[in-house]
Coordinates of all heavy atoms in Angstrom, one line a residue:
Chain E
M1 N 143.6 52.9 70.3 CA 143.1 53.9 69.4 C 144.3 54.1 68.3 O 145.1 54.9 68.6 CB 142.8 55.2 70.1 CG 141.6 55.0 71.0 SD 141.0 56.6 71.6 CE 142.4 57.1 72.7
S2 N 144.2 53.5 67.3 CA 145.2 53.6 66.2 C 145.4 55.1 65.7 O 146.3 55.5 65.3 CB 144.9 52.7 65.0 OG 143.7 53.1 64.4
G3 N 144.2 55.8 65.8 CA 144.2 57.1 65.3 C 145.1 58.1 66.0 O 145.6 59.1 65.4
T4 N 145.4 57.8 67.3 CA 146.3 58.8 68.0 C 147.7 58.8 67.5 O 148.4 59.8 67.8 CB 146.2 58.5 69.5 OG1 146.5 57.1 69.7 CG2 144.8 58.9 70.1
A6 N 148.9 59.0 64.4 CA 149.1 59.8 63.3 C 148.8 61.3 63.8 O 147.7 61.6 64.0 CB 148.3 59.5 62.1
G7 N 149.9 62.0 64.2 CA 149.6 63.3 64.7 C 149.4 64.4 63.8 O 149.3 64.1 62.5
N11 N 150.3 63.0 59.0 CA 149.5 61.8 58.6 C 149.8 61.4 57.1 O 149.9 62.2 56.3 CB 148.0 62.4 58.7 CG 147.1 61.2 58.9 OD1 147.1 60.6 60.0 ND2 146.4 60.8 57.8
K13 N 148.0 59.2 55.3 CA 146.8 59.1 54.4 C 146.2 60.5 54.3 O 146.0 61.1 55.1 CB 145.6 58.2 55.0 CG 145.9 56.7 54.8 CD 144.6 56.0 55.1 CE 144.8 54.8 56.0 NZ 143.6 54.2 56.4
K15 N 142.7 62.2 52.7 CA 141.4 62.0 52.2 C 140.8 63.3 51.8 O 141.1 64.4 52.3 CB 140.5 61.3 53.2 CG 140.7 59.7 53.2 CD 139.5 59.0 54.0 CE 139.7 57.6 54.0 NZ 138.5 56.9 54.7
F17 N 138.0 65.6 52.4 CA 137.0 65.9 53.4 C 136.2 67.2 52.9 O 136.8 68.2 52.6 CB 137.7 66.3 54.8 CG 138.0 65.2 55.6 CD1 139.2 64.5 55.4 CD2 137.3 65.0 56.7 CE1 139.6 63.5 56.2 CE2 137.6 63.8 57.7 CZ 138.8 63.2 57.3
K23 N 123.5 76.2 57.3 CA 122.7 76.9 58.4 C 123.3 78.3 58.5 O 124.5 78.6 58.5 CB 122.6 76.2 59.7 CG 121.8 74.9 59.5 CD 122.0 73.9 60.6 CE 121.2 72.6 60.3 NZ 121.8 71.4 61.1
I29 N 124.7 77.1 66.7 CA 126.2 77.1 66.8 C 126.8 76.3 65.7 O 128.1 76.3 65.6 CB 126.5 76.4 68.2 CG1 127.9 77.0 68.6 CG2 126.5 74.9 68.0 CD1 128.4 76.4 70.0
Y30 N 126.1 75.7 64.8 CA 126.7 74.8 63.8 C 127.8 75.4 63.0 O 128.8 74.9 62.7 CB 125.6 74.2 63.0 CG 124.6 73.4 63.7 CD1 123.3 74.0 63.9 CD2 124.8 72.2 64.4 CE1 122.3 73.3 64.6 CE2 123.8 71.6 65.1 CZ 122.6 72.1 65.2 OH 121.7 71.5 66.0
L32 N 129.8 77.9 63.7 CA 131.0 78.1 64.5 C 131.7 76.8 64.8 O 133.0 76.7 64.5 CB 130.7 78.8 65.9 CG 131.8 78.9 66.9 CD1 133.0 79.6 66.4 CD2 131.3 79.4 68.2
E33 N 131.0 75.8 65.1 CA 131.7 74.5 65.5 C 132.2 73.7 64.2 O 133.1 73.0 64.2 CB 130.9 73.7 66.4 CG 130.8 74.3 67.8 CD 130.3 73.4 68.9 OE1 129.4 72.6 68.7 OE2 130.8 73.6 70.1
A34 N 131.5 74.0 63.0 CA 132.0 73.5 61.8 C 133.3 74.0 61.4 O 134.2 73.4 60.9 CB 130.9 73.8 60.7
E36 N 135.6 75.0 63.4 CA 136.7 74.3 64.2 C 137.1 73.0 63.5 O 138.3 72.6 63.6 CB 136.2 74.2 65.6 CG 136.0 75.6 66.3 CD 135.6 75.5 67.8 OE1 135.7 74.5 68.4 OE2 135.3 76.6 68.3
V37 N 136.1 72.3 63.0 CA 136.5 71.0 62.3 C 137.3 71.3 61.1 O 138.2 70.6 60.8 CB 135.2 70.3 61.9 CG1 135.5 69.1 61.0 CG2 134.3 69.9 63.1
I40 N 141.0 71.9 62.2 CA 141.6 70.7 62.5 C 141.9 69.8 61.4 O 143.0 69.2 61.3 CB 140.8 69.9 63.6 CG1 140.5 70.8 64.9 CG2 141.4 68.5 64.0 CD1 141.7 70.9 65.8
G41 N 140.9 69.7 60.5 CA 141.1 68.9 59.3 C 142.4 69.4 58.5 O 143.2 68.6 58.0
F44 N 145.6 68.4 60.2 CA 145.9 66.9 59.9 C 146.3 66.7 58.5 O 146.3 65.6 57.9 CB 144.7 66.1 60.3 CG 144.7 65.6 61.7 CD1 144.5 66.6 62.7 CD2 145.0 64.4 62.0 CE1 144.5 66.2 64.1 CE2 145.0 63.9 63.4 CZ 144.8 64.9 64.4
Q46 N 144.7 67.1 55.7 CA 143.8 66.5 54.8 C 143.3 67.5 53.7 O 143.6 68.8 53.8 CB 142.5 66.0 55.6 CG 142.8 65.1 56.7 CD 143.4 63.8 56.0 OE1 142.8 63.1 55.3 NE2 144.6 63.5 56.5
D126 N 135.6 62.0 49.8 CA 135.6 60.6 50.6 C 134.8 60.8 51.9 O 134.2 59.8 52.3 CB 137.1 60.4 51.0 CG 138.0 60.2 49.8 OD1 137.5 59.3 48.9 OD2 139.0 60.8 49.7
V127 N 134.8 61.9 52.5 CA 134.1 62.1 53.8 C 133.4 63.4 53.7 O 134.0 64.4 53.4 CB 135.1 62.1 55.0 CG1 134.3 62.3 56.3 CG2 135.9 60.9 55.0
V128 N 132.0 63.4 53.9 CA 131.3 64.6 53.9 C 130.7 64.8 55.4 O 130.0 64.0 55.9 CB 130.1 64.6 52.9 CG1 129.3 65.9 53.0 CG2 130.7 64.4 51.5
L129 N 131.0 66.0 56.0 CA 130.6 66.3 57.3 C 129.6 67.4 57.2 O 129.9 68.5 56.7 CB 131.7 66.7 58.2 CG 132.8 65.5 58.5 CD1 134.0 66.1 59.1 CD2 132.1 64.4 59.3
S130 N 128.4 67.2 57.6 CA 127.3 68.2 57.4 C 127.0 68.8 58.9 O 126.8 68.1 59.8 CB 126.1 67.6 56.9 OG 126.3 66.9 55.7
F131 N 126.9 70.1 58.8 CA 126.6 70.9 60.0 C 125.4 71.8 59.8 O 125.1 72.1 58.7 CB 127.7 71.5 60.6 CG 128.8 70.6 61.1 CD1 129.9 70.3 60.4 CD2 128.7 70.1 62.4 CE1 130.8 69.5 60.8 CE2 129.7 69.2 62.9 CZ 130.8 68.9 62.1
Chain F
L6 N 129.2 60.0 63.8 CA 129.3 61.3 64.4 C 127.9 61.7 65.0 O 126.9 61.6 64.3 CB 129.7 62.4 63.4 CG 129.7 63.8 63.9 CD1 130.6 64.1 65.1 CD2 130.0 64.7 62.6
N8 N 125.7 64.6 66.8 CA 125.7 66.0 66.9 C 124.6 66.6 67.8 O 124.6 67.8 68.0 CB 125.7 66.8 65.6 CG 127.1 66.6 64.8 OD1 128.1 66.5 65.5 ND2 127.1 66.7 63.6
E9 N 123.7 65.8 68.4 CA 122.7 66.3 69.2 C 122.7 65.5 70.5 O 123.1 64.4 70.6 CB 121.3 66.2 68.5 CG 121.2 66.9 67.3 CD 121.3 68.5 67.5 OE1 120.8 69.0 68.6 OE2 121.7 69.2 66.5
Y35 N 134.7 51.9 64.2 CA 136.0 52.4 64.5 C 135.9 53.4 65.7 O 136.9 53.4 66.5 CB 136.6 53.2 63.2 CG 137.9 53.7 63.5 CD1 139.1 53.0 63.5 CD2 138.0 55.1 63.7 CE1 140.3 53.5 63.8 CE2 139.3 55.7 63.9 CZ 140.4 54.9 64.0 OH 141.6 55.5 64.2
R36 N 135.0 54.2 65.7 CA 134.8 55.2 66.7 C 133.4 55.8 66.7 O 132.9 56.1 65.6 CB 135.9 56.3 66.6 CG 135.8 57.4 67.6 CD 137.1 58.3 67.5 NE 138.3 57.6 67.9 CZ 139.5 57.9 67.3 NH1 139.6 58.8 66.4 NH2 140.5 57.1 67.6
Y40 N 129.9 65.3 69.2 CA 130.3 66.8 69.0 C 129.0 67.6 69.2 O 127.9 67.1 69.2 CB 130.9 66.8 67.6 CG 131.5 68.2 67.3 CD1 132.5 68.7 68.2 CD2 131.3 68.9 66.1 CE1 133.2 69.9 67.9 CE2 132.0 70.1 65.8 CZ 132.8 70.6 66.8 OH 133.5 71.8 66.5
N41 N 129.2 68.9 69.1 CA 128.0 69.9 69.4 C 127.3 69.4 70.6 O 128.0 69.0 71.5 CB 127.1 69.9 68.2 CG 127.7 70.4 66.8 OD1 127.3 69.7 65.7 ND2 128.5 71.3 66.8
D42 N 126.0 69.6 70.7 CA 125.3 69.0 71.9 C 125.4 67.5 72.1 O 124.9 67.1 73.0 CB 123.8 69.4 71.7 CG 123.4 70.7 72.4 OD1 124.4 71.4 73.0 OD2 122.2 71.1 72.6
D74 N 135.1 52.6 71.0 CA 135.9 53.8 71.3 C 134.9 55.0 71.2 O 134.5 55.3 70.0 CB 137.0 53.9 70.3 CG 137.9 55.2 70.6 OD1 137.9 55.7 71.8 OD2 138.5 55.7 69.7
V76 N 134.3 58.9 71.9 CA 135.0 60.1 72.2 C 134.1 61.3 72.2 O 133.3 61.6 71.4 CB 136.2 60.3 71.1 CG1 136.9 61.7 71.4 CG2 137.1 59.2 71.2
A80 N 136.6 70.4 73.5 CA 136.1 71.8 73.5 C 134.6 71.9 73.6 O 134.0 72.8 74.3 CB 136.6 72.4 72.2
A81 N 133.9 71.1 72.7 CA 132.4 71.1 72.8 C 132.0 70.7 74.2 O 130.9 71.2 74.6 CB 131.9 70.2 71.7
R84 N 132.5 73.7 76.7 CA 131.5 74.7 76.6 C 130.2 74.4 77.2 O 129.5 75.2 77.7 CB 131.3 74.8 75.0 CG 130.7 76.1 74.6 CD 130.3 76.1 73.1 NE 131.5 76.2 72.2 CZ 132.1 77.4 71.8 NH1 131.5 78.6 72.2 NH2 133.1 77.5 71.0
R85 N 129.9 73.0 77.2 CA 128.6 72.7 77.7 C 128.7 72.0 79.1 O 127.6 71.5 79.6 CB 127.9 71.7 76.7 CG 127.6 72.4 75.3 CD 127.3 71.4 74.3 NE 127.0 72.0 73.0 CZ 127.8 72.4 72.0 NH1 129.1 72.3 72.3 NH2 127.5 72.9 71.0
L101 N 139.2 67.2 68.8 CA 138.5 67.1 67.6 C 139.3 66.4 66.5 O 138.7 65.8 65.5 CB 138.2 68.6 67.1 CG 137.1 69.0 66.1 CD1 135.9 68.2 66.4 CD2 136.9 70.5 66.2
G102 N 140.6 66.3 66.7 CA 141.4 65.4 65.8 C 141.0 64.1 65.7 O 141.1 63.4 64.7
Q103 N 140.3 63.6 66.7 CA 139.9 62.2 66.8 C 138.7 62.0 65.8 O 138.4 60.8 65.4 CB 139.4 61.8 68.2 CG 140.5 61.9 69.2 CD 141.4 60.7 69.1 OE1 141.1 59.6 68.9 NE2 142.7 61.1 69.1
L104 N 138.0 63.0 65.5 CA 137.0 63.1 64.4 C 137.5 62.9 63.0 O 137.2 62.1 62.3 CB 136.0 64.2 64.5 CG 135.1 64.5 63.4 CD1 134.1 63.2 63.3 CD2 134.3 65.7 63.4
I105 N 138.6 63.8 62.8 CA 139.3 63.7 61.5 C 139.9 62.3 61.4 O 139.8 61.7 60.3 CB 140.3 64.8 61.4 CG1 139.8 66.2 61.7 CG2 141.1 64.7 60.2 CD1 138.6 66.6 60.7
Q106 N 140.6 61.8 62.4 CA 141.2 60.5 62.4 C 140.2 59.4 62.0 O 140.4 58.6 61.3 CB 141.8 60.2 63.8 CG 143.0 59.3 63.7 CD 144.1 59.8 62.8 OE1 144.4 61.0 62.9 NE2 144.5 59.0 61.9
G108 N 137.5 59.9 60.3 CA 137.2 60.1 58.9 C 138.2 59.4 58.0 O 138.0 58.9 56.9
I109 N 139.5 59.5 58.5 CA 140.7 59.0 57.7 C 140.6 57.4 57.8 O 140.7 56.8 56.8 CB 142.0 59.5 58.3 CG1 142.1 61.0 58.0 CG2 143.1 58.8 57.6 CD1 143.2 61.6 58.7
E110 N 140.4 56.9 59.0 CA 140.7 55.5 59.1 C 139.4 54.7 58.9 O 139.5 53.5 58.5 CB 141.1 55.2 60.6 CG 142.4 55.8 60.9 CD 143.6 55.3 60.1 OE1 143.5 54.1 59.7 OE2 144.6 56.0 60.0
A111 N 138.2 55.2 59.1 CA 137.0 54.4 58.8 C 136.7 54.3 57.4 O 137.0 55.2 56.6 CB 135.8 55.0 59.6
D112 N 136.0 53.3 57.0 CA 135.6 53.2 55.6 C 134.4 54.1 55.3 O 134.2 54.6 54.1 CB 135.2 51.8 55.3 CG 136.4 50.8 55.4 OD1 137.4 51.0 54.8 OD2 136.3 49.9 56.3
L114 N 131.9 57.3 57.3 CA 131.5 58.1 58.4 C 130.2 58.6 58.3 O 129.7 59.1 57.2 CB 132.5 59.3 58.5 CG 132.4 60.1 59.7 CD1 132.8 59.4 61.0 CD2 133.2 61.4 59.7
V116 N 126.8 60.6 59.7 CA 126.6 61.7 60.6 C 125.0 61.7 61.1 O 124.2 61.5 60.2 CB 126.8 63.1 59.8 CG1 126.4 64.3 60.8 CG2 128.3 63.2 59.3
D119 N 120.7 67.2 63.7 CA 119.3 67.8 63.6 C 119.2 68.6 62.3 O 119.9 69.5 62.1 CB 119.0 68.7 64.8 CG 117.7 69.4 64.7 OD1 116.8 68.8 64.3 OD2 117.7 70.7 64.9

Side-chain angles (χ1 to χ4, degrees):
Chain E
M1 295 190 292
S2 62
T4 51
N11 206 69
K13 274 197 231 173
K15 280 193 174 181
F17 278 77
K23 290 165 188 159
I29 203 173
Y30 305 106
L32 170 61
E33 291 193 326
E36 297 184 8
V37 173
I40 300 283
F44 272 69
Q46 298 300 301
D126 295 312
V127 180
V128 177
L129 296 170
S130 309
F131 290 99
Chain F
L6 172 61
N8 286 334
E9 298 294 331
Y35 177 77
R36 178 172 296 148
Y40 193 47
N41 299 142
D42 263 8
D74 183 24
V76 176
R84 198 186 287 274
R85 293 165 180 85
L101 201 43
Q103 299 290 314
L104 169 60
I105 302 299
Q106 207 57 48
I109 296 169
E110 298 297 335
D112 298 303
L114 188 66
V116 179
D119 172 46

